[in-house]
Amino acid sequence: MSERKQPEEMRTVEAIEPERYEAFAPPSYHFDLERRDFLKVVGGGIGVFLVMGEPAAALAQESGRPQFRFRMPPLPKNVGAWLHIAPNGAVTVFTGKVEVGQNIRTSLAQQVAEELKVAVDAISMVMGDTARTPFDMGTFGSRTTPTMGPQLRRVGATAREILIGLAAERWNADKKTLVAENGAVRDPATGKTLGYGELATGQTLAKTIISTDPLEPPADWTVAGKPLAKVGAVEFVTGRHRYPSDIVVPGLHYGKVLRPAAFGATLETLDASAAKAMPGVTVVHDGNFVGVVAPTLEEAEKALGLLKATWKTAPQISNAELFAYLKQNVLPESEAEEDRLRHETGSVESGMADAPKKFEATYTVEYIAHAPLEPRAAVAVWQGGKVTAWTGTQRPFAVRDALADTFHLAKDDARVLMPDMGSGYGGKHTPECAIEAARLSRGAGKPVKLIWTREEEFTWAYFRPAGVIDVRAGLGADGKLVAWEMHNYNSGPSAVMTPYDVPNQRISFHPTKYPLRQGSYRALAATANHFARESAMSELAHMAGADQLEFRLKHLSDERLKAVFLAAAKKFGWPRAKTAPGQGFGIGGGIEKGGRVAACAEVAVDEKSGEVKVTHVVVAFECGAIVNQDGLNNQVSGAQVMGLGGALFEAIEFADGKILNPMFSKYRVPRFKDLPEIEVVLVDRVDRPPAGAGETPICGLAPAIANAIFDATGTRLRAMPLAPHGLKKADPTPPAPRAAAEPA
Amino acid sequence: MSIEIKVNGRKHSVNTSPETSLLTVLRDHLGLTGSKYGCGEGECGACTVLVNGYSRRSCIMKVGDLHGQPVTTIEGLEQEGKLHPVQQAFLEAEAFQCAYCTVGMIMTTVAMLNAMPNPTDEQAIEFLNGNICRCGTYPRILRAVHLAAERMPKGEAR
């Protein structure tokens, strides 16, 4: 065990000013006061407050220029999280992070338990409640494990040292001789034991930590680092857990919103007389916003159907023009400067000039939807000019701010609660549903529940950006890359850099105008950029007459990435000999958000029907020290299933401001029948701090599949989704490479 | 109008139209929010309940079409505070992430095991193909299905 710093001076709380919850949430506040209030409010005990000491610049997830831009201010020196030990021994952790299926309610509790020396189930996690938890930017960008995890471990360690200190005082013993274990402090010399509750009784101790207290190194973990069942799992298998859409409050009414005929449409005429005539129904109309509120859901649906509206629409582009539109609408240099990425090493021109073999290709990705199984939902209640909203969001504090802005409230007059929700995958960053529910609720003077229909979720949420990616490369006589050029249009700069050693590089992200509302997604542009780069790498390997894996290893000096490629290849049995017609093998991988991923895929292409079936996937992943093995395995495996959809068949069809396939019967997502055999290889680097794992594992699969299809058929597919209708009807106009790959 | 329905062994009188979906009646009239809305077109399985022991999509079933057939929801699976073997198996296999699909998966599995006590992987995949898990936990769900099949008391359809 590592040596620990002496805890900072502890302060006893004197001044007491109850019910100042409001002061806990926002950034930049006077910390001392609230800390005391907090202990009064929770009824005494011990509180440990983590003050964010560093502006966490890394928090700003590359955002692919969503409409809702996240102007990340540097984090103020405010509280990031806190922990409370009550006189009854109850341990509560308060964090603004939210649980969306990525299992952080469990893994964060596990890390606190590790340091505090209590059982995981002795810890309650209060998450994503803007009135009770400290401000948090949001749960995205794979930041929880690398940032909040270590922070909470520090908080837990500090609490443990306080408890040991209290016991030492009580027993007049040297605290170095005391041990904390199983929720109690024990003196091995005397055998005396005091439970944490007993130690916390009669205390009003508050302690602030900022610095980086030394932590137990991952290798010494006893609770963290082990598989652990999801906290509260029984609530989920019994249906008792209340998701945002399940929240009920007294007097609850139901809302529905009249959606415009197309994106950007303006309301011309509205006849709401029939809806208004329904008993108990309120029509809320304000500019383009029209909605209804009724005592039951079925009455709200009926009232919505009775609204007669005409909309003014304008012609808009469709899928057919999408990629040309993106290329033709690059934003001028003066705009979106902060989003641009330009990287230049050596001279691509001279590298290309010297290269005996040249390669040039264009890759495309369509718009796809997150389609979380729980659509957007919110319950809004107004009371005394203040609004409370339960809603499914990855950014409860941003939703609170949006509510405050919309209704001209002080921030503290809007409260957002985020019950563990039916996931998001980067698709629930925006506040619209909560705002709509609050509008309807205020208009009707009733508490209102609004659940978006699946069609609304597919249409009025936002999409993973479509993109065009141009790649140009030169291959030297020794079979090594001498030049590499990659340009991403619109989909984003995440993972656009190549991890391969190439002396001459030019890499750019070009922001463009775009036709659909777009935003974050699981790994966002990293999926597109990995698809293009890793497809191109296999194309280049083919051109060089080299094995896909060997070619990559030849260009890799990142040992961690090498290690996952080798781990995946070993498990997969790479290189494998074909044993059946239509069989093919492909590989793909890379670096993103501090993690390393490599995937090997086997496909079977039916020669007659053209059907592409992914039969076997091996994915190797390394994200530093593993916090929860089983939870991580679940995330990595799930990312392969989700990735399969974007790789093979998911695509939003649109024209004239309408989504043409806004339902699961028309928008195909991966189902049981699409499931390949999936093997997950986790590389545990106990010597490295943990990195997030929710996103990166999705990146390797699509290129691995594209490369396997080429291996099976000789057909190179450069558009994602690769085979929405099988190979024969793959795409009426496949984006051909701009120039054939031929020797100079 | 008033409609009589039998859910989890209890009779209820619901004031709604016969056209109202069974899902809306369960969730919003009876407060049984375990069954989930996912698509409204019977394509995702999140709303699955048992009607007369068979799995049905409650989002596209009109309450007026029940004609007295008994409905079982997730809230009716536990017996005397003890989890149903299928619930227990999902719990042990950790067959979920966000778990929003879980209730529908469990109800579909119960119906499947009623009809087919020992399904092969292929049979289970066929039966469950109408249920979507966006988190992609299908392999674990299959594990849970087999675990449950081993433990289900045989010949005791529920």
Side-chain angles (χ1 to χ4, degrees):
Chain A
M1 196 161 301
S2 52
E3 221 182 306
R4 285 166 209 281
K5 277 190 207 162
Q6 292 296 316
E8 282 174 29
E9 188 198 343
M10 288 189 274
R11 285 179 242 179
T12 305
V13 176
E14 312 117 353
I16 279 157
E17 219 183 326
E19 296 179 53
R20 286 277 302 272
Y21 297 91
E22 72 270 16
F24 302 150
S28 329
Y29 60 85
H30 306 290
F31 182 67
D32 283 320
L33 194 59
E34 287 75 25
R35 193 169 39 160
R36 297 168 186 174
D37 297 345
F38 168 79
L39 286 175
K40 173 61 184 171
V41 166
V42 299
I46 299 166
V48 178
F49 299 79
L50 183 106
V51 176
M52 309 286 275
E54 310 149 325
L59 266 179
Q61 184 198 17
E62 164 284 296
S63 58
R65 301 190 329 98
Q67 280 180 342
F68 282 74
R69 287 195 189 178
F70 310 126
R71 284 279 167 276
M72 296 291 181
L75 277 174
K77 285 185 182 282
N78 74 332
V79 173
W82 55 49
L83 176 149
H84 176 238
I85 300 170
N88 66 1
V91 180
T92 311
V93 175
F94 297 82
T95 164
K97 294 287 176 205
V98 294
E99 170 64 49
V100 301
Q102 82 286 40
N103 211 31
I104 61 168
R105 185 179 287 282
T106 303
S107 63
L108 290 178
Q110 211 172 352
Q111 293 183 79
V112 174
E114 178 67 45
E115 294 295 333
L116 191 53
K117 308 299 174 193
V118 295
V120 174
D121 55 14
I123 296 173
S124 308
M125 301 287 299
V126 175
M127 305 176 77
D129 174 348
T130 63
R132 298 173 71 204
T133 63
F135 172 83
D136 186 84
M137 298 277 189
T139 305
F140 54 82
S142 289
R143 300 305 304 158
T144 305
T145 298
T147 56
M148 189 56 74
Q151 287 164 2
L152 285 182
R153 292 187 59 213
R154 265 176 221 129
V155 167
T158 306
R160 181 197 62 224
E161 294 306 315
I162 293 173
L163 290 158
I164 289 176
L166 286 170
E169 250 176 62
R170 197 83 79 88
W171 294 329
N172 200 15
D174 179 358
K175 60 185 180 181
K176 284 186 191 126
T177 64
L178 306 183
V179 225
E181 60 190 19
N182 302 322
V185 180
R186 187 168 63 86
D187 185 344
T190 63
K192 278 191 273 192
T193 294
L194 275 169
Y196 288 175
E198 292 168 88
L199 289 166
T201 300
Q203 302 290 346
T204 41
L205 284 176
K207 183 165 163 49
T208 307
I209 56 164
I210 303 172
S211 58
T212 48
D213 279 357
L215 288 172
E216 214 168 83
D220 296 340
W221 283 351
T222 55
V223 179
K226 305 289 184 299
L228 181 78
K230 186 181 177 85
V231 167
V234 76
E235 299 296 303
F236 294 94
V237 299
T238 53
R240 284 198 289 264
H241 172 70
R242 297 259 172 172
Y243 291 87
S245 51
D246 300 329
I247 296 294
V248 175
V249 296
L252 186 65
H253 279 51
Y254 294 81
K256 283 278 160 193
V257 175
L258 181 68
R259 298 297 170 186
F263 298 130
T266 48
L267 186 63
E268 281 183 326
T269 65
L270 174 71
D271 175 1
S273 52
K276 280 181 183 164
M278 284 179 65
V281 168
T282 307
V283 174
V284 181
H285 178 196
D286 176 12
N288 264 353
F289 180 83
V290 184
V292 296
V293 174
T296 65
L297 178 58
E298 57 270 32
E299 287 165 302
E301 285 166 349
K302 188 178 170 194
L304 180 74
L306 292 174
L307 295 174
K308 292 191 187 76
T310 55
W311 299 88
K312 184 167 184 259
T313 60
Q316 294 170 49
I317 73 158
S318 70
N319 295 82
E321 299 103 49
L322 174 61
F323 300 123
Y325 179 91
L326 296 178
K327 286 293 289 277
Q328 287 158 11
N329 284 281
V330 175
L331 295 182
E333 291 288 312
S334 56
E335 287 179 41
E337 188 50 41
E338 74 283 0
D339 292 335
R340 270 168 221 283
L341 186 144
R342 287 190 201 81
H343 166 83
E344 191 108 34
T345 311
S347 163
V348 168
E349 275 63 38
S350 71
M352 288 303 286
D354 295 343
K357 287 181 179 174
K358 296 177 178 40
F359 170 81
E360 202 167 339
T362 294
Y363 303 85
T364 59
V365 295
E366 294 279 357
Y367 277 110
I368 68 174
H370 311 80
L373 204 56
E374 182 184 36
R376 279 165 170 69
V379 170
V381 182
W382 287 86
Q383 205 164 30
K386 299 182 180 188
V387 65
T388 301
W390 289 259
T391 191
T393 177
Q394 294 173 248
R395 308 179 68 220
F397 285 88
V399 175
R400 178 202 61 180
D401 292 354
L403 284 168
D405 281 353
T406 306
F407 299 103
H408 309 293
L409 304 172
K411 279 183 185 174
D412 296 341
D413 288 346
R415 177 184 182 186
V416 171
L417 297 95
M418 199 339 245
D420 298 3
M421 70 172 169
S423 209
Y425 319 109
K428 285 182 182 165
H429 288 185
T430 49
E432 55 286 276
C433 188
I435 291 174
E436 288 167 356
R439 266 182 134 165
L440 293 170
S441 173
R442 200 170 65 161
K446 310 275 186 200
V448 167
K449 177 185 283 194
L450 173 66
I451 302 178
W452 279 20
T453 63
R454 177 56 54 192
E455 189 172 346
E456 287 176 306
E457 179 67 34
F458 263 121
T459 307
W460 300 98
Y462 54 86
F463 304 102
R464 184 185 79 181
V468 179
I469 299 167
D470 291 332
V471 175
R472 194 160 72 116
L475 207 50
D478 59 353
K480 287 188 79 169
L481 287 167
V482 290
W484 175 262
E485 188 169 8
M486 181 154 143
H487 297 271
N488 178 310
Y489 297 85
N490 187 55
S491 73
S494 191
V496 72
M497 299 297 293
T498 178
Y500 299 106
D501 304 331
V502 189
N504 303 297
Q505 300 182 13
R506 179 182 298 129
I507 296 167
S508 288
F509 164 60
H510 308 273
T512 73
K513 287 209 284 184
Y514 46 87
L516 299 184
R517 190 180 182 211
Q518 60 185 39
S520 194
Y521 185 86
R522 197 172 194 171
L524 198 62
T527 50
N529 287 322
H530 274 78
F531 168 62
R533 190 193 65 237
E534 291 298 297
S535 293
M537 286 301 285
S538 285
E539 295 201 55
L540 285 157
H542 184 70
M543 192 186 266
D547 173 79
Q548 296 176 55
L549 174 65
E550 285 304 317
F551 184 74
R552 284 172 168 80
L553 295 176
K554 216 163 136 176
H555 291 89
L556 268 184
S557 44
D558 184 287
E559 291 300 327
R560 292 172 63 197
L561 182 54
K562 235 184 208 175
V564 291
F565 267 123
L566 289 170
K570 187 179 172 197
K571 185 88 178 171
F572 189 78
W574 191 282
R576 268 163 68 177
K578 293 182 192 177
T579 55
Q583 188 184 37
F585 310 110
I587 195 164
I591 302 173
E592 172 63 1
K593 295 196 170 79
R596 305 289 189 278
V597 66
C600 295
E602 176 189 347
V603 301
V605 181
D606 187 293
E607 280 174 17
K608 277 187 190 149
S609 69
E611 190 200 351
V612 177
K613 171 91 181 147
V614 179
T615 50
H616 184 197
V617 171
V618 173
V619 57
F621 182 59
E622 187 249 290
C623 57
I626 296 170
V627 179
N628 183 340
Q629 191 113 23
D630 191 57
L632 178 60
N633 184 301
N634 203 348
Q635 280 297 317
V636 175
S637 171
Q640 307 316 302
V641 176
M642 181 166 233
L644 203 61
L648 281 179
F649 37 72
E650 285 183 46
I652 284 292
E653 295 165 21
F654 65 99
D656 273 331
K658 294 186 180 71
I659 301 301
L660 307 177
N661 57 343
M663 45 186 72
F664 281 132
S665 55
K666 293 183 177 170
Y667 182 96
R668 182 177 167 195
V669 297
R671 290 178 181 270
F672 274 97
K673 284 187 181 175
D674 300 309
L675 184 67
E677 182 194 352
I678 298 173
E679 293 181 279
V680 174
V681 184
L682 298 177
V683 179
D684 192 3
R685 287 287 300 264
V686 290
D687 56 322
R688 297 193 60 86
E695 307 189 78
T696 305
I698 201 171
C699 293
L701 185 67
I705 293 173
N707 295 334
I709 291 173
F710 177 78
D711 187 46
T713 63
T715 302
R716 174 53 66 176
L717 301 175
R718 298 188 181 89
M720 259 171 78
L722 295 163
H725 310 289
L727 267 200
K728 285 187 173 170
K729 307 180 273 183
D731 191 325
T733 51
R738 288 189 310 196
E742 55 189 307
Chain B
M1 66 181 283
S2 183
I3 293 175
E4 304 287 317
I5 64 168
K6 195 176 170 190
V7 181
N8 301 331
R10 286 183 56 192
K11 282 184 183 160
H12 300 268
S13 181
V14 181
N15 188 19
T16 189
S17 142
E19 299 292 306
T20 303
S21 76
L22 175 58
L23 180 65
T24 297
V25 168
L26 293 172
R27 287 178 55 83
D28 300 312
H29 288 267
L30 303 182
L32 300 172
T33 53
S35 307
K36 304 301 179 198
Y37 169 84
C39 69
E41 54 166 348
E43 281 285 330
C44 80
C47 66
T48 305
V49 298
L50 305 185
V51 175
N52 238 350
Y54 296 100
S55 62
R56 292 287 178 263
R57 303 292 192 238
S58 64
C59 75
I60 50 169
M61 180 161 204
K62 293 171 187 169
V63 68
D65 290 346
L66 276 176
H67 302 299
Q69 298 174 93
V71 177
T72 306
T73 71
I74 192 79
E75 289 89 352
L77 280 194
E78 273 176 285
Q79 298 292 328
E80 289 154 14
K82 197 163 172 260
L83 294 180
H84 187 280
V86 174
Q87 289 174 306
Q88 187 62 38
F90 271 70
L91 192 65
E92 287 176 29
E94 188 97 340
F96 37 74
Q97 281 176 25
C98 81
Y100 193 78
C101 72
T102 302
V103 162
M105 293 286 179
I106 288 174
M107 298 312 289
T108 307
T109 302
V110 170
M112 169 168 65
L113 297 182
N114 280 348
M116 205 179 345
N118 283 303
T120 62
D121 253 354
E122 267 181 2
Q123 288 169 322
I125 284 169
E126 187 70 39
F127 205 99
L128 287 162
N129 201 51
N131 288 59
I132 292 172
C133 170
R134 288 294 288 145
C135 299
T137 65
Y138 298 130
R140 285 165 183 251
I141 293 170
L142 290 176
R143 240 180 281 157
V145 166
H146 294 308
L147 195 58
E150 287 166 23
R151 297 192 185 158
M152 281 278 275
K154 301 300 170 205
E156 189 194 303
R158 286 219 293 236

